[in-house]
Amino acid sequence: MINPAAAERFLMCSPEHFEVSYVINPWMAGNVVDRALAAQQWTALATLLGAVATVEHINGAAGIPDMVFTANAGVVLGTACVLSRFRVAERQGEEVHFERWFTSHGFDVLTLPRDLHFEGAGDALLDRYQSLLWLGYGHRSDPACAPIVADWLGIETQPLRLVNDRFYHLDTCFCPLAGGYLLYYPAAFDIVSQAVIESRVPAGHRIVVTDVDAFAFACNAVNCGRHLFLNKASPTLVDQLHGYGFEVTQTPLTEYLKSGGSAKCLTLKVTETSNERAALCA
Ligand code: ARG
């Protein structure tokens, strides 16, 4: 799905090895994946995204089923990539595959010490207006990564503490959007972090989601210019997003919700700059 007209590129991992074979977050307990449906849902997302961006592929590998969630490969800024250091043993086998992909695609790969945990763009999200990298911690990534990543990528990092184990990665509850908007679920953060978010994003740019939308992974949206791709959003949220100039496409990702992931987790934007003031016009 190379779309030569599209400037933005996203990495996705084919899902043939995807399954729920262990439990590392509360969404995964007791779930069995319908593999055929998972393949169909993944292809639908890749096709939608492929119409507005270039989708790059990495092959999955047997025995590491969560590799399909490429958001966790690392975080990219320019040609630099800070590779993930997964907290759980179940996912550590992915690191070598992602490292190989980044290296062979011209990225300068930076690796953290083994004992520091960092789960890439699952927990590290660039603001789309300010030159700022938001960093979630409390479940998977260590807050001690913040100064190191800031130094390596040459960008301010703002740590945010996650307190609800259903929202264990920052991208499950927080989505910076083009134009400086922010789609997020405040209850996933501690009080201090909620105040930090309010102090750094003006009220008119904060789009707060309800419990129902948050639990349907509405914050786990892929944003490319004015396009937003997500599992599901309430009519109220869709209207609100339209009002801010976004086109919302809902594409069911039920099989990935069984693993605690959705649209954004299945993608990694590999064309990243420190802010995108003009991105809403795409
Ligand atoms: N089962 C995976 C895990 O618990 C899901 C990862 C979802 N990825 C994300 N970026 N939120 O690690």
Side-chain angles (χ1 to χ4, degrees):
M1 256 164 274
I2 300 292
N3 179 343
E8 306 296 4
R9 288 159 53 218
F10 291 82
L11 176 65
M12 293 183 72
C13 171
S14 46
E16 58 270 10
H17 299 289
F18 172 62
E19 60 179 339
V20 173
S21 54
Y22 49 74
V23 177
I24 56 171
N25 73 54
W27 299 92
M28 299 174 88
N31 284 332
V32 176
V33 168
D34 175 335
R35 294 256 194 129
L37 185 55
Q40 199 181 307
Q41 293 179 339
W42 184 92
T43 302
L45 176 65
T47 305
L48 287 166
L49 189 55
V52 299
T54 293
V55 176
E56 304 258 7
H57 292 266
I58 180 171
N59 288 326
I64 41 175
D66 280 338
M67 190 176 162
V68 74
F69 298 111
T70 52
N72 297 122
V75 67
V76 166
L77 184 58
T79 56
C81 168
V82 180
L83 194 70
S84 286
R85 286 287 194 204
F86 287 94
R87 178 171 295 274
V88 293
E90 288 87 339
R91 296 202 63 182
Q92 288 167 1
E94 299 173 35
E95 293 170 15
V96 59
H97 296 277
F98 287 128
E99 180 166 20
R100 204 175 298 137
W101 188 90
F102 287 122
T103 306
S104 64
H105 286 75
F107 290 92
D108 301 316
V109 177
L110 300 152
T111 46
L112 291 157
R114 181 74 273 165
D115 58 341
L116 265 190
H117 301 122
F118 176 68
E119 299 205 353
D123 275 330
L125 298 173
L126 284 158
D127 195 275
R128 299 299 180 198
Y129 190 74
Q130 320 167 52
S131 182
L132 179 66
L133 183 67
W134 301 92
L135 277 186
Y137 71 94
H139 300 292
R140 298 290 183 86
S141 299
D142 289 321
C145 295
I148 303 173
V149 172
D151 183 41
W152 283 352
L153 297 182
I155 188 167
E156 181 190 355
T157 50
Q158 173 62 65
L160 296 173
R161 181 153 185 239
L162 298 164
V163 292
N164 180 329
D165 63 359
R166 290 252 162 201
F167 301 95
Y168 58 94
H169 276 143
L170 184 63
D171 70 358
T172 61
C173 53
F174 187 94
C175 186
L177 301 177
Y181 295 100
L182 174 67
L183 182 64
Y184 81 118
Y185 181 54
F189 300 89
D190 73 356
I191 296 292
V192 173
S193 299
Q194 289 180 28
V196 167
I197 295 167
E198 288 168 17
S199 74
R200 302 204 68 154
V201 181
H205 282 68
R206 298 194 301 262
I207 306 165
V208 169
V209 308
T210 60
D211 295 357
V212 171
D213 278 322
F215 280 79
F217 273 78
C219 294
N220 197 250
V222 185
N223 180 208
C224 183
R226 67 192 149 81
H227 303 280
L228 270 185
F229 304 100
L230 47 77
N231 170 59
K232 201 172 155 191
S234 63
T236 311
L237 180 57
V238 171
D239 279 354
Q240 221 177 333
L241 289 163
H242 278 162
Y244 289 116
F246 293 100
E247 255 178 49
V248 180
T249 305
Q250 301 183 52
T251 185
L253 292 161
T254 54
E255 297 319 290
Y256 299 94
L257 262 68
K258 291 178 177 173
S259 187
S262 186
K264 159 68 175 58
C265 306
L266 291 167
T267 69
L268 175 71
K269 191 173 171 193
V270 293
T271 39
E272 288 284 20
T273 51
S274 68
N275 67 55
E276 301 188 349
R277 281 162 210 265
L280 206 55
C281 60

